[in-house]
Amino acid sequence: MANQMTKAQLVAAIADETNTDKKAASAMLDALTGIITKTVSEGGAVTLPGVGKIYCRERPERMVRNPSTGEQIKKEADKVVKVTVAKALKDSINA
């Protein structure tokens, strides 16, 4: 993985782009994270224009295999968070 942005770097970038201080940018990022978490955990979806869509999907009960023993195990139904990347982001990366 080439350049991985840390939270501190992201907060600094947001503060720079929005002409605010780092404290306000950090509060905005925390608020966005909270809103996404609350919405997705309630079964909704959040679309970030130009980035993608974050949503929760239910997986049915299924049989899985333990890789070390080869034993078949029944895995209970669960939920998983999915992200569908926006076409605009895909196109900007492949351009």
Side-chain angles (χ1 to χ4, degrees):
M1 198 172 247
N3 289 336
Q4 187 170 353
M5 186 178 275
T6 64
K7 181 180 178 182
Q9 292 169 331
L10 181 58
V11 167
I14 291 170
D16 187 46
E17 288 288 323
T18 59
N19 295 321
T20 59
D21 60 351
K22 289 182 182 179
K23 187 174 182 180
S26 180
M28 285 187 266
L29 184 60
D30 291 341
L32 179 63
T33 303
I35 291 167
I36 291 171
T37 302
K38 181 179 179 213
T39 304
V40 172
S41 67
E42 292 174 349
V46 176
T47 301
L48 298 173
V51 176
K53 180 178 179 182
I54 304 168
Y55 59 98
C56 184
R57 187 176 74 81
E58 293 185 20
R59 290 193 297 191
E61 183 178 276
R62 62 198 185 281
M63 295 299 289
V64 296
R65 188 176 65 86
N66 182 335
S68 61
T69 64
E71 177 187 8
Q72 292 283 333
I73 303 169
K74 184 168 93 171
K75 185 161 178 10
E76 299 297 322
D78 62 349
K79 296 179 181 180
V80 63
V81 176
K82 295 288 206 174
V83 177
T84 302
V85 179
K87 185 176 183 323
L89 181 57
K90 287 180 193 176
D91 290 345
S92 70
I93 292 171
N94 291 320

